């Protein structure tokens, strides 16, 4: 299991280098992704749009779109990863609007936890309705630089938070890292956040799943994309989109 106390300060030990490289590893090795014939668009249920539909998978991923889509995209992402933020700003919307909306492609986002702030963020984006997970994650990435600067601004308060009893600790970390006001401004009340982060079993389960899945699937850094179970040899939209087209999303 992740050492939460050690990881809580991983982002604070030195100034963050917000480079756009993969966070934590080289790019994953690709599997064989065969070319297929074009796939016809699949209509959403009447009165609905695939881009509004979210399913929580058994792996605790948040699948956007048609759960039975023939082309399944999974992204392992860290909420403190600059390369993930780059994809969120330069690829995720195209993926949703041009591919998920067609019903041919689903997009499942799973968290790989890199540090304690990352874990608290992963818990907070789960605090609302299932449909808010993707938008809240996008908001984190859009504001990543400011959020990480805030997390580093008061290391003494963060240290004190980590000394609290476990049921108080995660909310105190969120306060010390200036995350509470950020999420309150985006529809999660302070009480909602406090209740969510007091559920230590749920929070630590996110870290445990990150460890287990990363080990089982060989996910060594973020973002890592899988298309129909095969790793994509790219961490950018420019590399992912041709794979989607080759697998029939055209």
């Amino acid at each position: 299991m992740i050492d939460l106390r050690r990881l809580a300060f991983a982002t604070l030990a030195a100034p963050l280098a917000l480079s756009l490289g993969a966070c934590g590893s080289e790019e994953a090795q690709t599997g064989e992704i065969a070319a297929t014939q074009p796939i016809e668009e699949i209509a959403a249920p009447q009165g609905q749009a695939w881009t509004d539909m979210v399913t929580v998978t058994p792996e605790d991923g948040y699948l956007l779109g048609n759960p039975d889509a023939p082309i399944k995209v999974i992204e392992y992402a860290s909420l403190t990863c600059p390369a993930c933020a780059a994809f969120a700003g330069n690829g995720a919307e195209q993926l949703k609007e041009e591919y998920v909306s067609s019903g041919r492609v689903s997009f499942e986002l799973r968290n790989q936890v890199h540090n304690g702030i990352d874990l608290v963020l992963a818990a907070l984006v789960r605090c609302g309705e299932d449909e808010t997970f993707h938008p809240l994650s996008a908001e984190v990435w859009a504001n990543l630089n400011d959020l990480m600067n805030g997390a580093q601004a008061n290391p003494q308060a963060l240290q004190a938070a980590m000394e609290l009893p476990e049921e108080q600790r995660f909310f105190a970390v969120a306060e010390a890292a200036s995350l509470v006001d950020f999420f309150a401004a985006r529809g999660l009340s302070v009480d909602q956040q406090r209740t969510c982060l007091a559920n230590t079993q749920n929070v630590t389960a996110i870290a445990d799943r990150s460890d287990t899945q990363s080990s089982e699937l060989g996910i060594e850094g973020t973002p890592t994309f899988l298309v129909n179970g095969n790793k994509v040899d790219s961490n950018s939209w420019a590399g992912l989109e041709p794979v989607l087209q080759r697998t029939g999303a055209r």
Side-chain angles (χ1 to χ4, degrees):
M1 175 172 170
I2 285 177
D3 183 340
L4 303 178
R5 186 178 298 275
R6 175 176 58 82
L7 285 179
F9 300 100
T11 57
L12 304 174
L16 291 173
L18 294 181
S19 64
L20 297 183
C23 301
S25 80
E26 299 296 321
E27 291 179 350
Q29 294 299 310
T30 184
E32 184 64 30
I33 301 177
T36 66
Q37 293 299 312
I39 298 171
E40 294 290 335
E41 291 195 15
I42 301 168
Q46 189 171 1
Q48 300 182 62
W50 289 126
T51 50
D52 294 330
M53 300 176 66
V54 176
T55 305
V56 181
T57 68
E59 294 79 14
D60 194 40
Y62 283 68
L63 185 152
L64 185 69
N66 177 6
D68 297 317
I71 303 171
K72 302 182 186 299
V73 176
I74 297 171
E75 178 188 5
Y76 275 91
S78 159
L79 287 165
T80 59
C81 168
C84 302
F87 175 74
N90 300 296
E93 287 308 309
Q94 294 96 314
L95 171 59
K96 295 169 188 177
E97 292 174 7
E98 299 175 23
Y99 294 92
V100 173
S101 64
S102 73
R104 295 176 291 198
V105 178
S106 64
F107 175 40
E108 181 181 347
L109 189 55
R110 300 180 186 175
N111 292 106
Q112 187 184 67
V113 176
H114 290 179
N115 52 68
I117 301 299
D118 204 349
L119 178 58
V120 171
L121 286 167
L124 285 169
V125 297
R126 288 168 166 76
C127 285
E129 300 295 325
D130 294 345
E131 290 74 18
T132 67
F133 176 89
H134 280 267
L136 285 175
S137 297
E139 282 288 303
V140 170
W141 282 315
N143 294 277
L144 183 59
N145 204 342
D146 289 342
L147 286 173
M148 293 300 95
N149 286 337
Q152 293 184 98
N154 197 350
Q156 294 83 8
L158 191 57
Q159 176 69 54
M162 289 302 298
E163 301 301 326
L164 291 172
E166 194 173 57
E167 66 275 8
Q168 302 173 34
R169 184 179 305 157
F170 295 117
F171 182 77
V173 167
E175 284 192 310
S178 302
L179 300 178
V180 174
D181 288 345
F182 176 85
F183 282 95
R186 289 157 178 80
L188 291 180
S189 72
V190 175
D191 286 344
Q192 193 175 4
Q193 295 179 59
R194 190 189 305 274
T195 299
C196 181
L197 294 176
N199 190 331
T200 59
Q201 182 175 356
N202 284 353
V203 177
T204 56
I206 298 169
D208 289 344
R209 282 189 293 268
S210 171
D211 275 356
T212 299
Q213 292 172 29
S214 296
S215 176
E216 290 177 348
L217 298 175
I219 308 298
E220 297 179 347
T222 56
T224 293
F225 298 101
L226 293 87
V227 174
N228 289 346
N230 295 294
K231 292 180 187 176
V232 176
D233 190 21
S234 176
N235 65 3
S236 71
W237 177 239
L240 176 61
E241 186 177 27
V243 176
L244 299 182
Q245 294 185 353
R246 191 162 67 248
T247 54
R250 62 186 190 279

